[in-house]
């Protein structure tokens, strides 16, 4: 009977392709939109994910996410260092500073200042130069996307592509000279602004003058020291908030989920794909079953039970779901691969594939239920009426 069900499915080529197209469309859009959503959310905590050396980030208790910088007094650094269980605590500056380009235009840049002595918090992957070069006079390290993109110099020849920023080139940050001593690769940020690393003392010189400039304190726990206990000890001693990397990432993502329209926008696209896919597949599957009612009636007349007919319909639905899901996920993956060098945020996780598969199963079940009910109520005599 399984062979008969497959012959019925593949025999009507037009409706079979229509079913596959409906599932392919739904799974592709759901996978694509969910992956872009995950990619955007991942960019919100890109800096936290890249900074792997510290166990804790110490900050003002009112900080809501990574870009919500509330500067601290410099004296807090020594207070944190004095807490038992702290192996080291280093200052970290994060700010948005305008860079003046060679053509006179301005570009906002994310400037990160790391500890002058240890360079803790610096980029992990260097493409040109080394992290130690930050100790050179006026030295800064620029991320590769910014160097080849918004910070690139205009070509002297009209119509030619921009000239990427290279080691040895200079920038002007808030009326201060900065020399590029390295090119690094870091995770993209939510604002997609160019990223510049320098030393903490130099970053505070570049920054507009304020009474407090210490953005965060990066803390490493001593060997054998429980991070959660150390965080409670720091909070009790200083009144600041001490969060692990994972907790800070969750805090940042939670803020964007609660206070921005990103989830609603992407959720609407996913729901639209689900309903459109259900409508297409349901209509085509019902039409397919309607055209084959005489065959189902003949099988019933020959003694086939309702359970056997239901099994045939379920097999047909599963075949369509597998083929359409594979094609849809493949198309979404190809889209992500082709856009890997663009500004598009795309991150395909295993969880996204599970969600997409669940949506496809639900679409298939809803579409098959209508056909199953029609076949269950079918009278065997229908085969003899025409």
């Amino acid at each position: 009977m399984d062979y008969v069900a497959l012959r019925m499915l593949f025999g009507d080529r037009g409706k079979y392709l229509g079913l596959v197209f409906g599932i392919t469309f739904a799974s592709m859009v759901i996978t694509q939109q969910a992956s872009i959503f995950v990619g955007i959310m991942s960019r919100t905590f890109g800096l936290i994910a890249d900074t792997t050396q510290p166990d804790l980030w110490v900050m003002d208790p009112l900080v809501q996410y990574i870009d919500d910088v509330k500067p601290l007094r410099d004296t807090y650094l020594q207070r944190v260092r004095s807490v038992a269980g702290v192996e080291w605590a280093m200052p970290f500056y994060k700010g948005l500073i305008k860079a003046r380009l060679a053509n006179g235009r301005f570009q906002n840049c994310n400037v990160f200042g790391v500890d002058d002595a240890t360079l803790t918090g610096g980029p992990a992957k260097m493409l040109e130069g080394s992290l130690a070069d930050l100790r050179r006079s006026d030295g800064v390290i620029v991320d590769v996307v910014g160097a080849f993109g918004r910070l690139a110099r205009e070509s002297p020849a009209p119509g030619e592509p921009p000239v990427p920023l290279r080691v040895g080139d200079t920038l002007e940050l808030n009326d201060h000279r900065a020399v590029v001593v390295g090119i690094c690769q870091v995770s993209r940020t939510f604002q997609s602004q160019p990223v510049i690393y320098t030393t903490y003392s130099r970053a505070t010189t570049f920054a507009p003058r304020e009474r407090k400039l210490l953005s965060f304190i990066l803390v490493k726990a001593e060997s054998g020291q429980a991070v959660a206990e150390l965080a409670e000890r720091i909070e009790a001693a200083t009144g600041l908030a001490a969060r692990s990397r994972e907790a800070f990432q969750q805090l940042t993502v939670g803020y964007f989920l609660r206070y921005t329209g990103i989830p609603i926008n992407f959720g609407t696209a996913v729901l639209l794909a689900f309903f459109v896919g259900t409508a297409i597949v349901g209509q085509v599957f019902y039409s397919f079953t309607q055209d084959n009612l005489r065959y189902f009636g003949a099988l019933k007349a020959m003694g086939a039970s309702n359970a056997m007919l239901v099994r045939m319909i379920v097999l047909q639905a599963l075949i369509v779901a597998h083929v359409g899901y594979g094609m849809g996920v493949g198309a979404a993956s190809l889209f992500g691969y082709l856009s890997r060098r663009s500004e598009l945020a795309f991150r395909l996780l295993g969880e996204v594939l599970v969600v997409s598969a669940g949506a496809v199963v639900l679409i298939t079940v809803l579409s098959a239920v209508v056909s199953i009910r029609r076949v269950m109520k079918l009278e065997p005599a229908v085969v003899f009426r025409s």
Side-chain angles (χ1 to χ4, degrees), residues 197-208:
Y197 282 89
T198 188
T199 60
Y200 179 81
S201 60
R202 194 174 299 127
T204 55
T205 301
F206 291 157

Side-chain angles (χ1 to χ4, degrees), residues 60-90:
D60 188 284
L62 298 180
V63 169
Q64 301 180 77
Y65 61 105
I66 182 64
D67 294 323
D68 182 33
V69 177
K70 293 178 170 56
L72 307 171
R73 295 194 302 271
D74 292 339
T75 54
Y76 275 116
L77 179 60
Q78 297 303 326
R79 292 180 62 183
V80 171
R81 286 174 173 171
S82 66
V83 176
V86 173
E87 180 176 342
W88 50 254
M90 302 300 173

Side-chain angles (χ1 to χ4, degrees), residues 94-262:
K94 181 184 184 303
L96 203 61
I97 299 178
K98 287 184 177 180
R100 184 183 179 91
L101 307 182
N103 59 7
R105 291 184 303 176
F106 289 91
Q107 172 62 54
N108 285 329
C109 299
N110 282 309
V111 176
F112 305 143
V114 302
D115 179 61
D116 293 50
T118 64
L119 302 181
T120 300
K125 186 173 183 180
M126 296 293 300
L127 302 181
E128 296 182 39
S130 68
L131 185 59
D133 291 334
L134 278 183
R135 297 191 178 98
R136 293 165 54 183
S137 178
D138 300 327
V140 297
I141 294 175
V142 181
D143 76 303
V144 63
V145 175
F148 280 76
R150 302 188 185 186
L151 296 181
R153 296 170 297 164
E154 290 185 354
S155 173
E160 293 295 322
V163 179
L165 205 62
R166 298 293 186 186
V167 173
D169 291 342
T170 60
L171 290 172
E172 188 178 303
L173 294 173
N174 197 21
D175 296 329
H176 292 81
R177 180 175 179 266
V179 180
V180 179
V181 296
I183 304 294
C184 66
Q185 184 174 351
V186 296
S187 299
R188 304 290 291 274
T189 60
F190 181 71
Q191 297 92 347
S192 294
Q193 305 287 3
V195 171
I196 297 177
Y197 282 89
T198 188
T199 60
Y200 179 81
S201 60
R202 194 174 299 127
T204 55
T205 301
F206 291 157
R209 296 309 305 166
E210 296 181 25
R211 188 167 56 90
K212 296 182 289 185
L213 289 171
L214 178 60
S215 304
F216 301 100
I217 301 173
L218 308 182
V219 175
K220 180 71 174 179
E222 292 180 348
S223 178
Q225 170 66 57
V227 175
E229 293 180 2
L230 179 59
E232 293 177 357
R233 203 176 298 143
I234 291 174
E235 291 177 350
T238 64
L240 302 177
R243 298 186 173 94
S244 66
R245 185 166 63 251
E246 294 76 15
F248 199 13
Q249 290 177 359
Q250 293 174 5
L251 179 71
T252 298
V253 172
Y255 175 86
F256 282 90
L257 291 178
R258 289 192 303 270
Y259 299 111
T260 68
I262 296 175

